[in-house]
């Protein structure tokens, strides 16, 4: 039986949140949804967080993804920005958990490396490479949306890689126990 997998990718933010929903069937990636949620400047922080929560739940209700991949907050010297970004991420995670969706978190560097091979690639380079990967035209004007798409595809690539590598092990000892031929003499 051919399994179709849906992944929601999110680039959290309290001013602009990017999101993308991809569907994978027999290794082919199709974009089902790619957009941003732009918050009104007049909203206070709790109202913005409520909008984020509601949009994530709406997307999950409409597209029924099994998993959500989200970009992790990156280190910033601006503590207020870090706190706001962390709150946005937390609200996204809570909304997904509330709907029974599993959550995966990736650093910006990991996402860029997964898509372009370069962890220091620009947003524009990531968007350009995504065009090649999905072989489907999309509006790349909103880099927050393409970042969300990159996050979802990064998660797909990571799962595909892990599936070909076999069972994951919690530590070196358990790996050696199940693979005695790997021990050095």
């Amino acid at each position: 039986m051919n399994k179709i997998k849906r992944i929601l990718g999110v680039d959290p933010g309290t001013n602009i949140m990017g999101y993308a929903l991809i569907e994978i069937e027999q290794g082919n990636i199709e974009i089902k949804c790619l957009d941003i949620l732009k918050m009104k400047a007049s909203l206070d922080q709790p109202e913005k967080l409520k909008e984020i929560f509601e949009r994530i739940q709406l997307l999950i209700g409409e597209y029924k993804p099994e998993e959500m991949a989200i970009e992790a907050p990156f280190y910033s010297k601006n503590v207020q920005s870090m706190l706001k970004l962390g709150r946005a991420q937390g609200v996204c995670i809570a909304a997904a958990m509330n709907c029974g969706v599993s959550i995966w978190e990736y650093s910006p560097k990991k996402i860029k490396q997964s898509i372009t091979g370069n962890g220091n690639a620009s947003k524009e380079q990531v968007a350009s490479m995504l065009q090649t990967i999905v072989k489907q035209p999309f509006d790349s004007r909103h880099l927050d949306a393409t970042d969300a798409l990159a996050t979802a595809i990064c998660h797909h690539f990571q799962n595909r890689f892990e599936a070909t590598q076999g069972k994951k092990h919690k530590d070196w000892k358990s790996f050696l126990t199940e693979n005695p031929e790997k021990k050095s003499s």
Side-chain angles (χ1 to χ4, degrees):
M1 185 169 138
N2 186 23
K3 172 109 168 81
I4 296 174
K5 185 173 188 173
R6 291 185 191 91
I7 302 169
L8 174 62
V10 179
D11 180 23
T14 55
N15 291 324
I16 299 174
M17 177 187 78
Y19 57 89
L21 195 294
I22 61 170
E23 186 174 274
I24 298 105
E25 184 175 12
Q26 295 182 336
N28 297 316
I29 300 168
E30 183 180 350
I31 301 169
K32 292 297 192 180
C33 174
L34 179 68
D35 208 347
I36 61 167
L37 171 62
K38 187 170 183 171
M39 286 0 128
K40 294 176 188 160
S42 61
L43 295 178
D44 63 16
Q45 277 302 149
E47 291 170 320
K48 288 179 180 181
L49 295 173
K50 182 177 184 263
E51 273 202 38
I52 292 167
F53 186 88
E54 289 172 348
R55 178 62 58 95
I56 294 296
Q57 289 208 311
L58 181 75
L59 290 166
I60 292 170
E62 183 174 347
Y63 293 101
K64 312 270 188 279
E66 295 86 15
E67 300 169 339
M68 180 178 83
I70 189 163
E71 186 173 307
F74 56 90
Y75 175 76
S76 171
K77 291 182 181 179
N78 184 333
V79 175
Q80 285 301 316
S81 292
M82 276 287 293
L83 285 171
K84 288 177 183 177
L85 189 57
R87 288 178 186 150
Q89 184 196 33
V91 165
C92 292
I93 291 170
M97 288 179 69
N98 196 44
C99 294
V101 174
S102 61
I103 297 110
W104 300 81
E105 185 178 24
Y106 298 95
S107 72
K109 195 172 204 77
K110 179 71 171 178
I111 295 165
K112 291 174 182 180
Q113 184 178 19
S114 178
I115 300 303
T116 68
N118 176 2
N120 296 314
S122 70
K123 288 177 175 275
E124 292 80 10
Q125 288 172 316
V126 171
S128 176
M129 185 58 78
L130 287 169
Q131 294 275 6
T132 304
I133 292 170
V134 297
K135 299 176 183 90
Q136 176 184 351
F138 61 87
D139 183 358
S140 62
R141 286 179 295 158
H142 298 294
L143 294 177
D144 295 291
T146 55
D147 282 354
L149 177 60
T151 304
I153 292 174
C154 169
H155 178 63
H156 167 61
F157 287 167
Q158 294 304 308
N159 279 352
R160 189 176 64 187
F161 174 75
E162 287 174 5
T164 63
Q165 300 303 306
K167 182 180 175 189
K168 289 178 80 174
H169 298 275
K170 64 180 180 175
D171 58 26
W172 185 243
K173 184 178 179 183
S174 67
F175 173 79
L176 290 176
T177 300
E178 291 187 27
N179 298 282
E181 73 282 359
K182 300 288 184 183
K183 289 182 185 176
S184 61
S185 8

